[in-house]
Amino acid sequence: MTSTSPASDHILLVDDDRDIRDLVSAYLQKNGLRVTTAPTGRHMRQLLEIAGPFDLVILDLMLPGEDGLTLCRDLRAGKFKTTPIIMLTARGDETDRVLGLEMGADDYMPKPFAARELLARIKSVLRRTRMLPPNMRSSEEARFLAFGEWRLDTVERVLLDHDGVMVSLSGAEYRLLRVLVDHPQKVLSRDQILSITQGREAELFERSIDLMISRLRKCLNDDAREPRYIKTVRSEGYVFASQVEAQDV
């Protein structure tokens, strides 16, 4: 089901509960959004190709066939990796919410939820993802981003050193590094980095953006006193100082 207003943001709602699809889509459309719905991951994939692009995907965790975590991971690894995702979960276990955010979701909503709160979350996520001007958003589709003695594998989401030895990254570390390498020589404030990489649940992963930077420097063997890659810009934030080259192989 899709509304007809061409100027509003286009939302893809993926949930196997028809009542939820109907109620949520009606409410969002009433509030000026275009909404397309899908009951399964298979339908989601079809709609992404024929009805997109979408401005945001609302993705239920518990779906028949491929679950929401798998779909979220695949979205983040493919050509829709920059599309914001809000995860819906009926589970009470915080681990599931953390996993969703680690897979790349921008926010989550526990079921049951109020449609008004979901609308507020949608607006918040869209606002955060549009914080950077267009010339600072990632459009790189290459698998590897090379800098210094490192290569970042954007599919496997790991670091490779000059000998090809793999360094695993947490979801938070990967997203932080990806933001930095996507915008080399650009000073990013702490608020920008934190909002883009973690959204409202940043405290689940790190106590502060400075701690995240410290952990990432250790992964890169980057001396905090004389950093080669991630430099601190006093009173402003951080800048990724190395040149970055996109590579397909």
Side-chain angles (χ1 to χ4, degrees), residues 2 29 37 44 75 103 111 139-140 142 144 151 173 210:
T2 309
Q29 290 180 55
T37 64
M44 180 198 80
L75 285 172
M103 289 292 182
K111 292 180 177 180
S139 59
E140 183 56 66
F144 298 100
R151 292 207 305 167
E173 290 163 351
D210 299 308

Side-chain angles (χ1 to χ4, degrees), residues 177-246:
L177 181 56
R178 185 62 198 269
V179 168
L180 293 171
V181 300
D182 277 343
H183 310 111
Q185 286 81 51
K186 302 285 187 181
V187 178
L188 299 177
S189 71
R190 289 170 174 82
D191 286 343
Q192 281 181 318
I193 296 172
L194 192 58
S195 293
I196 296 166
T197 56
Q198 304 298 345
R200 62 183 288 273
E201 293 300 317
E203 68 274 10
L204 291 176
F205 302 101
E206 311 292 344
R207 290 174 297 171
S208 71
I209 190 63
D210 299 308
L211 181 55
M212 291 175 65
I213 291 289
S214 177
R215 288 181 56 178
L216 192 53
R217 279 175 172 157
K218 289 180 180 178
C219 293
L220 296 170
N221 298 323
D222 206 15
D223 188 341
R225 291 169 296 183
E226 296 183 10
R228 178 182 178 187
Y229 300 113
I230 306 172
K231 295 188 176 182
T232 303
V233 181
R234 190 171 182 178
S235 301
E236 292 190 52
Y238 295 96
V239 61
F240 195 76
S242 178
Q243 295 292 327
V244 179
E245 177 186 356

Side-chain angles (χ1 to χ4, degrees), residues 143-180:
R143 172 166 180 172
F144 298 100
L145 298 175
F147 52 92
E149 62 183 21
W150 298 99
R151 292 207 305 167
L152 180 64
D153 186 331
T154 65
V155 175
E156 297 297 331
R157 297 162 72 98
V158 297
L159 268 174
L160 301 170
D161 68 13
H162 63 281
D163 293 322
V165 177
M166 183 179 68
V167 177
S168 296
L169 299 172
S170 71
E173 290 163 351
Y174 172 80
R175 289 196 297 277
L176 172 57
L177 181 56
R178 185 62 198 269
V179 168
L180 293 171

Side-chain angles (χ1 to χ4, degrees), residues 16 32-33 36 40 67 74 102 121 133 146-148 152 155 210 234:
D16 62 328
L33 297 174
T36 297
T40 67
D67 63 21
D74 290 349
E102 283 284 315
R121 297 283 184 87
F147 52 92
L152 180 64
V155 175
D210 299 308
R234 190 171 182 178

